[in-house]
Amino acid sequence: MASTISNNNSGYTTPDTELESVLPIHPTAVRRPHAITVQSPNTSYNNEFITAKFANRGSEVTVTDGHFHVTPTVDEYEFQTQRAPSKTGLMMIGIGGNNGSTLCATVLANRHNMIWHTKEGIQQPNYIGSVLRASTVKIGTEPSSGKDVHVPVCDVLPMVHPNDLVLGGWDISAAPLDKAMQRAKVLDYDLQRQVAPHMALIGKPLPSIYYPDFIAANQEERADNLIPGDDKQVHLEKIRADIRQFRQDNGLDRVIVFWTANTERYSDILPGVNDTADNLLNSIKSSHSEVSPSTLFAVAAILEGEPFINGAPQNTFVPGAIELAERHQSFIGGDDLKSGQTKLKSVLAEFLVNAGIKPLSIASYNHLGNNDGHNLSAERQFKSKEISKSSVVDDMVESNRLLYKAPQLGPKGVPIGKGEHPDHVVVIKYVPAVGDSKRAIDEYYSEIFCGGRSTINIFNECEDSLLATPLILDLAILAELLTRVKYRKVSEKKEFAPLYSVLSLLSYMLKAPLVKPGTDVVNSLNRQRNALECFLKACVGLETNTDLLLETRIW
């Protein structure tokens, strides 16, 4: 008999006969109504929208003969957020892989309130590791005590509950999801035993596309569930039809399309092929060899008006794909899930540079044994991962030219290269025995006071898919939210318009954040988190909280 449990009106769970105690629903999985009301002339509510004014404050700096002239600026905006979350589906490319099968199983475990036994005791489902569900944000202070008030990030604005996501997708492997979960070897056996019948109901993944040149040859034996033929235009139309059918069959308002399949090699950016939207569409019609599977899925989602998120490191968003998204005002985001080693690196590198310490080299080694590691054992696929991991410290270096020499200027003042930069090495090895339990070793070798040296070594062991899965949920839920947010500049008195197509607000969860062309990439984890918090608060008319704590520093 399966160890399933059901809700009662008290908010607690009632155990079946196998259990000896009553467990509350985990706080990260509790369903709460939206309960924040901002009492301000800048914020208004009706049945459909939250509308809020926001003053975007900044500074313009000009430099003349080494003197900095700073002019404060203020631009006023209004944000309009649709209050009711859309009925949302999540279609994953690679649904039968480690991440896809783990996501489906853990959402189902939460949805059906399953509990299971491990050698540590009874375990309950939760959303630990989700930024939205398991972390909090300060919204102000309590007047009588002066204590900070924090709420879950997901409570600032109405968001989709992960239990409500309708799950589906494609995979090159025909294994039904219960068998795919078993193959992945991520979850405890007792949980797999209980969730397997529910996984079986999702069934077999939709046929996907397989272009051998883009992923490692060692994946060929898994490729038994393919859209037939080699006509890329036919493949595009089939994927578009799959999205429409999924939306119709499940009565959905929104479908998030998410790449969590194998890492591809980088696509070559070729004039006349993928450099513009029209060239890319024509290249699909002619089945050009440089159109990758991930780009084809991205184009399908864009043309269907649905958000597409790239959770792998390859350059899915070639210039033509970005232009196509702009043309259709569709939303795209990526690249590469930032779950472990790279997230820590973005924190530690920033800490060192902000402390006035100069990292001279950062050497990162990791090994893992899941199918992601198997695919990355091929050189061209590893190169994609190396690129996404290596750029993470660039903006920290750029922020401190006291420590690192600036690049030389070429003709017309254009910088040549990156300038002085830490030596940065990334190594990934495939070790089948460790499975999904990834080992990461980092060495930070730095210059300190008066020619001294400091070495920091970190060893990190993590269950790769159990860190990645909550990030996929966060990215999907945030993408849905951002489709409900519109803005306008107060001074222009125009109609509300959707946000820009590239969802750079997703950067906190991504190794190589995609940003608006021509703008700088921010890799600092603190800045990424702050940007997300500030935006969510702006949509309800809250000013950004600072750590000035002025009231504690004056009489």
Side-chain angles (χ1 to χ4, degrees):
M1 177 174 154
S3 298
T4 56
I5 49 182
S6 60
N7 290 327
N8 58 31
N9 292 331
S10 68
Y12 284 78
T13 54
T14 304
D16 69 8
T17 55
E18 294 183 26
L19 301 178
E20 298 177 356
S21 62
V22 175
L23 298 175
I25 296 173
H26 195 275
T28 60
V30 168
R31 190 183 297 274
R32 295 175 297 271
H34 185 245
I36 295 177
T37 302
V38 177
Q39 297 175 327
S40 164
N42 292 328
T43 308
S44 62
Y45 299 83
N46 61 30
N47 290 336
E48 190 173 1
F49 298 111
I50 302 171
T51 305
K53 290 183 179 179
F54 173 73
N56 188 41
R57 303 182 188 277
S59 299
E60 293 181 350
V61 182
T62 57
V63 184
T64 307
D65 297 327
H67 188 82
F68 297 89
H69 303 271
V70 184
T71 304
T73 61
V74 180
D75 291 311
E76 290 193 336
Y77 291 87
E78 270 190 304
F79 291 103
Q80 184 185 75
T81 306
Q82 184 179 320
R83 299 183 71 169
S86 309
K87 185 176 181 184
T88 302
L90 174 58
M91 295 191 79
M92 291 173 282
I93 307 103
I95 191 173
N98 282 32
N99 289 345
S101 62
T102 300
L103 184 145
C104 292
T106 49
V107 167
L108 289 167
N110 276 282
R111 185 184 297 169
H112 295 283
N113 298 317
M114 296 175 182
I115 56 176
W116 62 98
H117 296 264
T118 72
K119 64 183 180 181
E120 305 294 338
I122 294 171
Q123 177 66 52
Q124 67 181 132
N126 58 63
Y127 287 112
I128 290 176
S130 162
V131 177
L132 301 181
R133 303 290 315 177
S135 71
T136 63
V137 56
K138 177 184 172 183
I139 58 171
T141 56
E142 204 277 324
S144 60
S145 65
K147 292 187 178 297
D148 293 342
V149 177
H150 293 83
V151 300
V153 175
C154 60
D155 287 0
V156 178
L157 285 168
M159 298 188 195
V160 173
H161 193 291
N163 288 6
D164 295 336
L165 290 169
V166 180
L167 304 171
W170 305 263
D171 202 284
I172 62 173
S173 169
L177 286 186
D178 55 330
K179 302 302 181 185
M181 170 184 65
Q182 183 179 5
R183 177 180 61 193
K185 300 179 182 178
V186 173
L187 299 171
D188 289 319
Y189 167 75
D190 194 35
L191 175 57
Q192 289 192 42
R193 175 182 65 83
Q194 295 179 66
V195 81
H198 300 282
M199 294 283 278
L201 292 176
I202 299 177
K204 177 182 169 183
L206 293 166
S208 190
I209 51 177
Y210 173 68
Y211 304 152
D213 185 45
F214 280 93
I215 63 173
N218 58 40
Q219 300 299 304
E220 185 174 4
E221 63 183 28
R222 294 169 68 105
D224 59 359
N225 188 42
L226 307 179
I227 301 172
D230 54 10
D231 187 322
K232 295 187 177 182
Q233 183 65 37
V234 171
H235 292 174
L236 174 65
E237 296 304 328
K238 177 62 169 66
I239 296 164
R240 292 185 65 181
D242 288 343
I243 296 170
R244 289 194 300 270
Q245 192 67 48
F246 185 72
R247 188 169 52 209
Q248 178 181 327
D249 289 349
N250 295 286
L252 302 173
D253 307 308
R254 176 66 61 204
V255 177
I256 310 299
V257 182
F258 201 109
W259 180 277
T260 184
N262 284 309
T263 294
E264 299 172 334
R265 69 163 174 86
Y266 253 48
S267 298
D268 292 330
I269 308 300
L270 302 174
V273 174
N274 49 20
D275 54 338
T276 70
D278 289 334
N279 287 341
L280 178 58
L281 293 175
N282 287 331
S283 295
I284 293 172
K285 288 179 182 177
S286 65
S287 297
H288 195 282
S289 61
E290 212 53 35
V291 177
S292 69
S294 64
T295 297
L296 202 65
F297 273 99
V299 169
I302 289 166
L303 294 178
E304 289 301 314
E306 301 293 4
F308 181 91
I309 311 297
N310 177 33
Q314 69 272 345
N315 61 338
T316 297
F317 300 116
V318 294
I322 296 175
E323 183 183 318
L324 189 68
E326 293 172 335
R327 179 185 296 177
H328 289 270
Q329 292 192 333
S330 293
F331 294 109
I332 56 176
D335 298 308
D336 201 7
L337 298 176
K338 181 166 59 180
S339 58
Q341 186 181 47
T342 307
K343 183 172 286 186
L344 181 61
K345 186 180 297 182
S346 67
V347 173
L348 194 55
E350 183 181 34
F351 150 68
L352 291 170
V353 172
N354 285 350
I357 294 170
K358 182 180 181 180
L360 299 173
S361 67
I362 303 173
S364 296
Y365 166 89
N366 56 87
H367 67 264
L368 70 165
N370 61 20
N371 192 56
D372 182 41
H374 196 198
N375 181 62
L376 291 175
S377 63
E379 177 61 29
R380 292 195 301 171
Q381 285 66 37
F382 163 71
K383 192 66 179 176
S384 295
K385 179 68 76 171
E386 182 182 36
I387 291 170
S388 77
K389 279 177 166 281
S390 297
S391 62
V392 70
V393 299
D394 289 354
D395 57 325
M396 277 73 100
V397 170
E398 180 64 30
S399 72
N400 193 331
R401 289 306 180 187
L402 297 170
L403 296 178
Y404 298 97
K405 294 177 183 178
Q408 294 182 341
L409 299 180
K412 299 182 180 180
V414 178
I416 302 174
K418 291 183 177 181
E420 190 181 9
H421 203 273
D423 294 335
H424 193 178
V425 178
V426 178
V427 177
I428 301 174
K429 293 297 182 182
Y430 176 53
V431 181
V434 303
D436 203 58
S437 184
K438 182 166 68 174
R439 274 78 163 163
I441 304 170
D442 291 273
E443 179 189 89
Y444 298 80
Y445 180 60
S446 302
E447 179 180 349
I448 57 175
F449 192 50
C450 292
R453 294 292 186 268
S454 167
T455 302
I456 300 174
N457 288 302
I458 297 175
F459 180 83
N460 172 29
E461 181 181 344
C462 63
E463 293 174 276
D464 202 29
S465 300
L466 295 180
L467 285 176
T469 295
L471 301 186
I472 297 174
L473 291 170
D474 283 344
L475 288 163
I477 291 166
L478 276 175
E480 186 282 329
L481 169 65
L482 296 176
T483 67
R484 291 186 280 121
V485 178
K486 294 187 176 183
Y487 80 98
R488 66 182 175 190
K489 205 168 184 177
V490 172
S491 61
E492 295 177 354
K493 297 181 180 179
K494 294 181 179 179
E495 294 296 316
F496 284 99
L499 300 173
Y500 176 66
S501 292
V502 175
L503 299 179
S504 55
L505 281 165
L506 306 180
S507 295
Y508 185 86
M509 278 73 72
L510 298 161
K511 284 191 183 77
L514 187 69
V515 299
K516 190 175 186 178
T519 59
D520 292 333
V521 176
V522 174
N523 283 298
S524 160
L525 199 70
N526 287 329
R527 291 182 63 195
Q528 291 171 342
R529 166 74 186 224
N530 190 49
L532 179 58
E533 285 189 13
C534 290
F535 182 82
L536 296 177
K537 290 178 181 178
C539 289
V540 292
L542 288 177
E543 290 289 333
T544 302
N545 290 318
T546 73
D547 292 320
L548 177 58
L549 299 176
L550 182 61
E551 64 276 9
T552 70
R553 309 183 195 282
I554 57 177
W555 291 101

